[in-house]
């Protein structure tokens, strides 16, 4: 119980100040029949730092760490190198253990970081304003659909087939309760993204929004401008979802192509894989929609002495003011992950991000070429950033497990993401980032050659 | 060095009030740290993509490819048949300035010094529990087997991670006396939504359309927002003079249209609801469910099991009760414990251990089969709330904290939290109005009002003056049922000496507020900033850095440039 500083002497002295004979007297409003008398049976008692570390270490070693094997998984979470100084900075107690910056005079560190983060995200996405982050990409996408509904006063969201199926599942779950309807379908294992069909669908309906992922779940990329035009012609908003922000070091920003709301996952920059969380949702839009945007915002102002400073602002949209009329029930952001994102982005800068993106792309192109040369294996994409889809001669799922036996984590099988779509069972999504070495590609190529033969 | 009236901290020399001085006397804290957009540039980078003989990160995979090419040059690397990427390449700069590593470390380290944090001192916040964050938690969370595993890795390669989720889940179930737990909600408010959606799904499953959620007026603002988001009409239930839910008003409103009551226990007035079981029974009698906001679970962990009080669903803010760091506003984590009636409706993915001892991660594809094989019925889950499995990085921290405390230590956590809060309450109630002190002991938080302050002096003045005394202010103006509320939650990780310092500081400020000391209005003077103009920020929002507006131009942009200058 090393985290509890009170001694027994302190406790009795404090009880005498309070005028209570025992600490149990302070719990006297709890009915006796609901009070537990001793530690809960079956649960272990306190343990030393050494014992706990040993126990957790043993659990940790039961997992295969991505850095220890040739590793090619993507589909919404990416392994990139994180400079050592990022983790150093986020572990500074003044950032790690700070509270939400509701007292701005003593929270300028966090507030300025959030202001810088908002600016970085807005520029990366090609939008005017960004918020101080959301829980993750999937919840940010759902919030964007809700926001589009508030702006257009319509209830239909059309989701393009290339959007991550887990993101679609989140939207469908929420829509079931909010009364929005969601139109979506599974992708075809093809280079054709069905953009023309999507544009026809937009024209035939009255959607609040259209959601397109860029690059999509198969790694494909499409020009968003024709889709944006089709949306705007029908008074709908275009929501672009970016699960791999590094791509935007090389590709045109969705905001530049007419997207009205751009959301996505920021995990690739500064935040580790962490088995799915915590991650950092990014959310940006046009200035005119800022009052409909969910989440926190840091804004610039001055203090009583005229110095520049930052505060949380426009909180009249939020739950602590508007209660049941709030734009969202979200009450937090992903502050520490936003800091990690911002620090990594500051280290990269324009030049570093561009170089990083080019290395990712070049290595992915090279790996795709080599893998597609394996007999029976086809490359599905004509265009991609650092992630592409292979069509194997048989189901990809057993191939992934067979590669584990060879100590290679060779990609994500589409069968795992789309268990009910037999047409996708042979698809394997492979992500190649800067951490993949030549030897890793050799190992994947050899393993895949063997398991498909 | 002089001592201030509370007698424990060096005060700044009198002649520098309002000028460059800080509690540490370090003038560097008073300097502005420019924005990276003012000190960085687009050609500077603090990373190095090396082409050295170490070679593990070769950037030259094919002959003739130059990875330092411009974006347009990179189009040469497109695969055969490609060309679509061509038209999508960035042609204009993004506008992302970079700094070298030493500049970066210095920039953020300087900014960090403008933050108050739990590592620096007490956060007496009501309902937002800020306690010591053990560094063992951080060390464990960074073990490669937790920090560096992908959410879609084949399950045979992540059994340890699944065991962490399951082990934490079992603790949460046992400590709360509940039946199941949904681990994936990303934060407390996301957990609230999860709980209300479980309730809605359970009602739908029995073909029962109900439209109303009752929320006591002392509830957190997220409660009504959540209920409204889930499609319910929200109705408020008043509080009694004692600061508890008005049981008569609640029972009078109950009926077949009530889906749920959202209640906070211990409540936001710092009091336990002694009639909780009676409230639950009354709600169940009309076919509704009871949601408990678990933000204050730290006051009763190991002492009371919410399941024994008839609660159907409760989120647990892991950062509050189990010490995961607040991080300047997140990430949080909000697992939701569920009663037997609601467990089957929990969102995917969830974890369960079967009789053979194997831990299973249950996602959409196996969920129905799993439910039939192990729970004797078809899947009833309401769906998925987030892309992956929840806040794994928070689970490892929370489990580390739980194992460190054990069942005995967690009981002591609640006892010390309650003891500390009552100590603060009794040590100040002769000077500060404590509206509910007559109701009996408080739980983990003590509440005061602004009654007795000189005219024109407010809770805000007291809060800002606390900053000058070296403390973070308490929660202000909440709960709404108390005029000028000041809500103090010391937590169990504060020593008696810390509490005595805080009490002395608050006493001296309260005396000044009662006496009408105009000096309070200027506070804080010993902080990186004086009071900030929040009205200006909201009236003319500047939410992103804009390049300086040319001279002669008007508007907020020009001010930004003038104030920011390098």
């Amino acid at each position: 119980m090393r985290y509890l500083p009170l001694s027994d002497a302190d406790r009795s002295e404090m009880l005498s100040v309070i005028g209570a004979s025992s600490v149990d007297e302070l719990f006297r409003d709890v009915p006796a029949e609901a009070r537990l008398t001793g530690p809960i049976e079956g649960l272990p008692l306190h343990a030393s730092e050494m014992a706990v570390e040993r126990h957790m270490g043993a659990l940790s070693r039961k997992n295969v760490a991505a850095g220890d094997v040739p590793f090619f998984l993507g589909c919404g979470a990416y392994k990139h190198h994180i400079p050592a100084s990022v983790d150093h900075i986020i572990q500074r107690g003044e950032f790690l253990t700070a509270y939400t910056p509701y007292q701005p005079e003593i929270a300028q560190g966090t507030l300025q970081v959030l202001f810088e983060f908002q600016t970085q995200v807005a520029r990366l996405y090609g939008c005017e304003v960004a918020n101080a982050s959301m829980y993750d990409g999937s919840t940010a996408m759902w919030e964007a659909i809700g926001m589009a509904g508030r702006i257009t006063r319509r209830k239909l969201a059309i989701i393009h087939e290339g959007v991550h199926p887990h993101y679609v599942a989140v939207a469908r779950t929420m829509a079931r309760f909010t009364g929005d309807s969601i139109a979506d379908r599974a992708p075809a294992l093809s280079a054709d993204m069905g953009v023309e069909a999507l544009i026809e669908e937009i024209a035939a309906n009255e959607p609040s929004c259209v959601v397109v992922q860029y690059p999509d779940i198969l790694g494909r990329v499409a020009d968003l401008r024709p889709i944006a035009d089709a949306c705007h012609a029908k008074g709908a908003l275009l929501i672009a979802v970016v699960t791999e922000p590094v791509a935007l070091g090389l590709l045109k920003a969705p905001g530049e192509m007419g997207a009205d709301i751009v959301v996505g996952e920021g995990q690739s920059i500064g935040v580790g894989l962490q088995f799915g969380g915590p991650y950092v949702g990014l959310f940006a839009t046009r200035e005119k929609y800022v009052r409909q945007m969910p989440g926190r915002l840091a804004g610039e102002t001055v203090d009583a002495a005229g110095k520049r400073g930052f505060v949380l602002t426009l909180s009249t949209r939020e739950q602590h003011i508007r209660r049941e009329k709030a734009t969202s029930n979200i009450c937090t952001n992903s502050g520490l992950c936003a800091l990690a994102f911002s620090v990594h982005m500051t280290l990269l800068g324009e030049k570093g991000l561009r170089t990083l993106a080019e290395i990712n792309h070049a290595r992915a192109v090279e790996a795709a070429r080599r893998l597609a040369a394996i007999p029976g294996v086809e490359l599905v994409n004509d265009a991609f950033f650092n992630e592409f889809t292979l069509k194997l001669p048989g189901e990809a799922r057993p191939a992934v497990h067979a590669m584990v036996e060879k100590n290679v984590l060779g990609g994500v099988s589409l069968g795992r993401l789309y268990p009910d779509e037999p047409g996708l069972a042979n698809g394997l999504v492979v992500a190649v980032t800067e951490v993949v070495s030549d030897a890793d590609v050799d190992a994947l190529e050899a393993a895949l050659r063997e398991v498909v033969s | 060095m002089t001592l201030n009236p509370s007698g424990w901290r060096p005060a700044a020399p009198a002649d520098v009030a309002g000028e460059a001085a800080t509690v540490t006397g370090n003038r560097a804290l008073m300097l502005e740290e420019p924005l990276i957009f003012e000190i960085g540039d687009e050609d500077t980078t603090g990373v190095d993509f090396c082409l050295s003989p170490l070679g593990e990160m070769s950037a030259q995979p094919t002959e003739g490819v130059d990875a330092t090419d411009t974006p347009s040059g990179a189009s040469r690397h497109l695969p055969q048949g490609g060309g679509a990427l061509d038209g999508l390449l960035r042609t204009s700069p993004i506008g992302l300035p970079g700094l070298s590593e030493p500049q970066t470390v210095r920039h953020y380290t300087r900014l960090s010094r403008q933050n108050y944090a739990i590592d620096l001192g007490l956060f007496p916040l009501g309902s937002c529990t800020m306690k010591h964050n053990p560094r063992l938690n951080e060390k464990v969370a960074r073990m490669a087997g937790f920090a560096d595993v992908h959410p879609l890795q084949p399950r045979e390669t992540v059994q340890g991670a699944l065991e962490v989720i399951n082990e934490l889940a079992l603790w949460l179930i046992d400590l709360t006396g509940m039946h199941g737990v949904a681990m994936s909600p990303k934060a407390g408010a996301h957990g609230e939504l999860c709980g209300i959606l479980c309730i809605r799904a359970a009602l739908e499953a029995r073909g029962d359309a109900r439209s109303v959620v009752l929320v006591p007026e002392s509830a957190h603002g997220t409660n009504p927002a959540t209920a409204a988001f889930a499609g319910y009409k929200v109705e408020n239930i008043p509080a009694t003079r004692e600061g508890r839910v008005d049981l008569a008003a609640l029972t009078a409103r109950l009926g077949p249209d009530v889906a749920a009551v959202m209640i906070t226990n211990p409540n936001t007035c710092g009091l336990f609801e002694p009639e909780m079981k009676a409230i639950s029974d009354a709600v169940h009698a009309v076919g509704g469910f009871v949601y408990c906001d678990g933000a204050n679970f730290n006051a009763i962990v190991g002492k009371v099991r919410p399941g024994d009080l008839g609660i159907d669903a409760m989120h647990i803010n892991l950062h509050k009760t189990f010490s995961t760091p607040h991080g300047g506003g997140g990430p949080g984590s909000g697992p939701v414990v569920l009663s037997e009636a609601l467990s089957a409706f929990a969102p995917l993915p969830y974890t369960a251990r079967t009789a053979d001892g194997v831990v299973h991660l249950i996602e959409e594809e196996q969920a129905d089969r799993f439910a039939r094989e192990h729970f004797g019925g078809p899947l009833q889950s309401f769906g998925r709330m987030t892309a992956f499995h929840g806040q794994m990085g928070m689970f490892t921290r929370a489990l580390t904290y739980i194992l460190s405390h054990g069942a005995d230590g967690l009981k002591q956590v609640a006892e010390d939290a309650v003891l500390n809060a009552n100590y603060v309450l009794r040590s100040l109630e002769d000077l500060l109005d404590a509206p509910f002190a007559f109701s009996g002991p408080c739980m983990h938080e003590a509440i005061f009002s602004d009654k007795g302050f000189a005219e024109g002096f407010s809770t805000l003045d007291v809060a800002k003056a606390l900053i000058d005394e070296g403390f973070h202010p308490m929660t202000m103006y909440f709960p709404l049922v108390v005029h000028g509320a000041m809500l103090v939650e010391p937590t169990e990780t504060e020593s008696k000496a810390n509490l005595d310092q805080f009490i002395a500081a608050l006493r001296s400020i309260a005396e000044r507020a009662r006496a009408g000391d105009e000096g309070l209005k200027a506070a804080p003077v010993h902080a990186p900033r004086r009071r900030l103009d929040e009205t200006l920020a909201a009236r003319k929002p500047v939410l992103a850095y804009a390049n300086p507006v040319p001279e002669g131009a008007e508007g907020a942009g020009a001010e930004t440039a003038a104030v920011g200058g390098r």
Side-chain angles (χ1 to χ4, degrees), chain A residues 142 145-146 155 171-182, chain B residues 193 197 200 204 226 228-232:
Chain A
W142 178 72
I145 292 173
K155 285 289 198 181
R172 236 190 266 126
T173 298
M174 297 302 187
R176 202 178 127 192
F177 297 98
T178 57
D180 290 287
S181 48
I182 302 287
Chain B
L193 194 53
L197 295 184
R200 188 160 163 171
E204 279 177 5
T226 297
F229 247 60
Y232 287 105

Side-chain angles (χ1 to χ4, degrees), chain B residues 491-513:
Chain B
T491 85
E492 72 281 3
T493 60
E494 295 304 328
S495 68
K496 180 170 175 296
N498 287 352
L499 296 182
D500 287 339
Q501 285 182 349
F502 172 72
I503 289 162
L506 196 48
R507 287 192 76 87
S508 95
I509 296 167
E511 278 164 4
R512 291 166 68 195

Side-chain angles (χ1 to χ4, degrees), chain B residues 403-420:
Chain B
L403 294 172
S404 298
H405 276 292
D408 51 337
L410 291 172
K411 177 171 174 281
Q412 191 71 50
V413 160
E415 291 182 354
D416 285 1
V418 171
L419 180 63
N420 280 354

Side-chain angles (χ1 to χ4, degrees), chain A residues 11 29 36 46 62 66-67 103 123 136 248 252 275 301 307-308 332-333 347 350 358 366 397 401, chain B residues 30 46 62 69 88 90 94-96 148-149 156 163 244 303 329 365 386 408 416 464 529 533:
Chain A
R11 291 183 182 114
D29 286 341
L36 298 165
H46 67 277
K62 286 188 179 180
Q103 297 289 342
R123 291 183 179 188
D136 71 353
L248 300 182
K252 248 188 227 320
F275 201 49
T301 187
K307 267 191 175 183
R308 173 170 68 182
T332 188
N333 61 330
L347 283 163
E350 178 106 13
E358 285 171 358
E366 164 66 3
R397 235 188 145 135
H401 293 284
Chain B
M30 304 304 289
T62 50
D69 256 358
L88 295 176
R90 265 191 192 278
I94 309 169
L96 293 171
D148 193 28
V149 288
E156 61 269 31
E163 276 185 51
R244 296 192 163 96
K303 298 288 286 184
E365 54 184 315
T386 177
D408 51 337
D416 285 1
K464 298 302 181 189
R529 288 292 183 281
D533 189 344

Side-chain angles (χ1 to χ4, degrees), chain B residues 233-399:
Chain B
K233 187 165 168 290
V234 177
E235 287 183 26
N236 286 329
I237 297 295
T240 61
R241 214 167 55 84
E242 289 81 19
R244 296 192 163 96
V245 172
D246 185 334
L247 189 57
L250 177 71
T251 43
R253 179 58 193 85
L254 288 175
D257 60 337
V258 173
V261 174
M262 292 184 91
I263 209 156
T264 304
N265 195 18
N267 72 24
T268 44
C269 294
L271 302 173
F272 192 85
E273 297 285 354
E275 301 298 329
M276 193 61 234
K277 188 70 171 67
I279 294 172
S280 301
D281 290 345
V283 175
H284 293 155
V286 299
F289 291 96
V290 180
Y291 186 86
C292 182
D293 183 309
N296 301 334
F297 186 53
N298 61 315
I300 57 168
V301 59
K303 298 288 286 184
V304 183
R305 297 189 307 173
D308 296 340
L309 302 173
I311 306 282
D312 292 291
M314 181 179 89
H315 73 270
I316 299 171
N317 300 73
L318 292 183
H319 52 287
K320 294 182 177 176
T321 301
F322 302 117
S323 85
T324 73
H326 209 285
S333 180
V336 179
V337 288
L338 297 162
S339 63
E340 195 164 1
L342 293 182
S343 288
F345 303 95
L348 296 165
Y350 61 91
T351 62
R353 190 191 295 267
T354 45
D356 54 7
V358 178
V359 180
H360 299 264
L361 171 63
I362 309 306
E363 293 176 276
E364 283 84 344
E365 54 184 315
Q366 333 93 311
D368 191 58
R369 182 174 51 82
F370 190 87
R372 288 175 196 279
E373 282 175 15
H374 297 285
F375 302 128
L379 180 73
Q380 290 179 291
S381 165
F382 75 75
R384 181 181 272 274
M385 291 193 79
T386 177
F388 301 118
H389 318 305
Q391 307 289 62
M392 185 65 193
M394 298 293 128
F395 300 162
T396 48
R397 289 170 173 92
L399 181 58

